[in-house]
Amino acid sequence: MNLTGNDLKNIGFAEGKALGLALQIMEQQYQTMSTGDKLVLLKGVFEDPSAYVNDVKLSALAHELLKPGDDTIPLNVAGKPYQIYGADAIEQGALSQMETAMKLPVTVAGALMPDAHQGYGLPIGGVLATQNAVIPYGVGVDIGCRMCMTVYNLPVTALTEKKEEFKKLLVNNTRFGMATFNKPKDHEIFERKAFSELGIAREMKDRAWQQIGSSGGGNHFVEFGIVEILDPVNEFNLAPGRYVALLSHSGSRGLGANIARHYTKIAMDTCKLPQEAKHLAWLDLDTEAGQEYWLAMNLAGDYASACHHQIHERMAIGLRETPLAMIENHHNFAWKEKDAAGNELIVHRKGATPAGKGVLGIIPGSMATPGFIVRGKGLAESINSASHGAGRTMSRTKAKQTILQGHVNKFLKEAGVELIGSGLDEAPMAYKDIHQVMGYQQSLVGVLGSFMPKIVRMCGDAKFQEVD
DNA sequence: ATGTTC
């Protein structure tokens, strides 16, 4: 069967010169190639035309795709200045992406956190303040990805003396990857109007109900560990010392992923930007789509929060304890905040911890290195933000190829960490040194306490078969 | 991040 214009539209081509050219080149230069292979090839060219500008057969198409269309919104020639924290340890790709973001006509201010690395559109660790516009890829795919910690009045020796009991609590009360609870707990969030009024949320409601209280994959975790309260003057009146704590990291599961996918597509269809900025497409908050995204994003954020609360609730019941304190924060989200002059801005934090003056947050390290309870200092140049972790120093692929299981096992043993699940891509060696990262952001946050993981659960490799 | 490419 022959390639059609509709086939090309399905992989992202718009009606126009490039589409015609693509059909023509395929017919004339790739007669023997199967339709499927042609589509794969053209999808590659469409996604990254600059990689094909020197290709003998595809150069003309690449140039056509790179040419801005009549409806392309130009970037500003000069990007607005932005503050970088820990620039020495940040990869070039993340810096380039941030520079592009600073050239958007809707951008007012930006900052890059010390755990930054390359992402889609805005880098992970990027903070971007815009005027009346929200960028779905400035929030990220896992809308409302967040941290939650509860602190318990239990002796820390229990973590070693009753290790098997704590492991069992984790296995019985958490679900990772594809696994969900047989009897999910109901939650008031399902009565929210947005769940029935927004098309994409309505479509996802059943799956959201099935997935509530579960964690995801990748870097998500639920872990018991030891909190050390360091600041004698703290919001919880906790005496300095060591406590058992539960820390969770996860987001809005399929609900947020599909909301992100849906509105990113609308943004990219309605807000055409030059090639290097196309993933930074925004939705004007005065449009219907913009207002819908704002509602949907907030729904996903609250859903993510509900998931964490159910995890901690199940565990508190299992422990037969009431938490002494709970600390939590989003780190993939957008907020309406005011700048020093009182102007309302849309502040996107994509892998960044809110750090307004006195605002508490959690910055995790890795499965076997410390994390920190932090208190924001409200530094304007950072747009009231800090890092959301240590940041990767190695891609997942590279980590799986180069890190040895034996090496990880030794690291875990020396750190006194018991691990359930996870793959080599989450090994501590795949992350930057958290102490160095904290050093880069001393002007952004103060440390209230530390958290050392002891019994960690993450998604197993065989997540599709995982059964509890 | 994501029933991981509608």
Side-chain angles (χ1 to χ4, degrees), chain A residues 178-376:
Chain A
M178 283 284 292
T180 55
F181 290 100
N182 288 332
K183 272 191 75 178
K185 284 180 192 281
D186 199 3
H187 196 280
E188 61 185 12
I189 196 166
F190 296 116
E191 288 153 35
R192 197 79 73 78
K193 269 199 285 182
F195 246 129
S196 50
E197 289 178 359
L198 294 167
I200 188 68
R202 195 165 56 233
E203 280 173 38
M204 291 304 298
K205 193 174 177 181
D206 286 350
R207 196 149 110 209
W209 188 84
Q210 185 60 52
Q211 288 186 322
I212 197 165
S214 67
S215 309
N219 57 8
H220 289 174
F221 60 76
V222 182
E223 60 196 25
F224 282 108
I226 299 172
V227 151
E228 179 154 21
I229 297 295
L230 301 163
D231 187 346
V233 183
N234 60 69
E235 288 75 355
F236 311 101
N237 293 319
L238 286 173
R242 298 182 345 137
Y243 300 82
V244 168
L246 181 76
L247 180 61
S248 52
H249 174 218
S250 54
S252 50
R253 313 294 280 109
L255 174 67
N258 281 279
I259 289 170
R261 195 198 330 245
H262 180 76
Y263 288 100
T264 290
K265 189 176 183 320
I266 294 174
M268 286 175 67
D269 285 347
T270 55
C271 174
K272 303 278 189 189
L273 292 166
Q275 184 65 25
E276 72 273 24
K278 68 177 183 180
H279 290 121
L280 292 167
W282 66 82
L283 297 167
D284 189 312
L285 283 172
D286 291 332
T287 64
E288 198 176 339
Q291 291 181 11
E292 279 183 14
Y293 177 77
W294 197 261
L295 289 172
M297 177 192 78
N298 275 284
L299 180 70
D302 291 344
Y303 176 79
S305 173
C307 287
H308 281 266
H309 289 170
Q310 289 197 350
I311 293 167
H312 288 255
E313 193 185 321
R314 283 177 200 272
M315 220 64 85
I317 290 168
L319 289 167
R320 296 198 189 89
E321 288 287 329
T322 305
L324 300 172
M326 180 186 268
I327 308 157
E328 54 189 334
N329 65 274
H330 283 331
H331 53 219
N332 281 10
F333 211 63
W335 290 262
K336 290 179 180 170
E337 295 179 7
K338 286 201 162 68
D339 68 8
N343 303 308
E344 188 179 85
L345 299 176
I346 304 303
V347 177
H348 304 74
R349 293 190 181 87
K350 186 185 191 179
T353 304
K357 196 166 175 53
V359 173
L360 298 184
I362 309 276
I363 301 177
S366 71
M367 60 167 70
T369 55
F372 296 91
I373 305 169
V374 297
R375 190 186 288 120

Side-chain angles (χ1 to χ4, degrees), chain A residues 24 124 134 248 339 387 407 445:
Chain A
Q24 192 188 345
I124 319 299
V134 64
S248 52
D339 68 8
S387 88
H407 193 182
V445 286

Side-chain angles (χ1 to χ4, degrees), chain A residues 416-438:
Chain A
V417 172
E418 181 85 12
L419 177 65
I420 309 165
S422 185
L424 291 169
D425 47 342
E426 284 301 321
M429 311 76 149
Y431 284 89
K432 288 182 192 174
D433 178 352
I434 184 68
H435 299 289
Q436 197 183 353
V437 170
M438 294 306 290

Side-chain angles (χ1 to χ4, degrees), chain A residues 398-426:
Chain A
K398 193 184 169 199
K400 281 188 237 179
Q401 284 165 352
T402 59
I403 298 173
L404 300 171
Q405 189 65 57
H407 193 182
V408 178
N409 293 348
K410 188 162 171 275
F411 195 111
L412 292 172
K413 197 170 179 200
E414 280 168 10
V417 172
E418 181 85 12
L419 177 65
I420 309 165
S422 185
L424 291 169
D425 47 342
E426 284 301 321

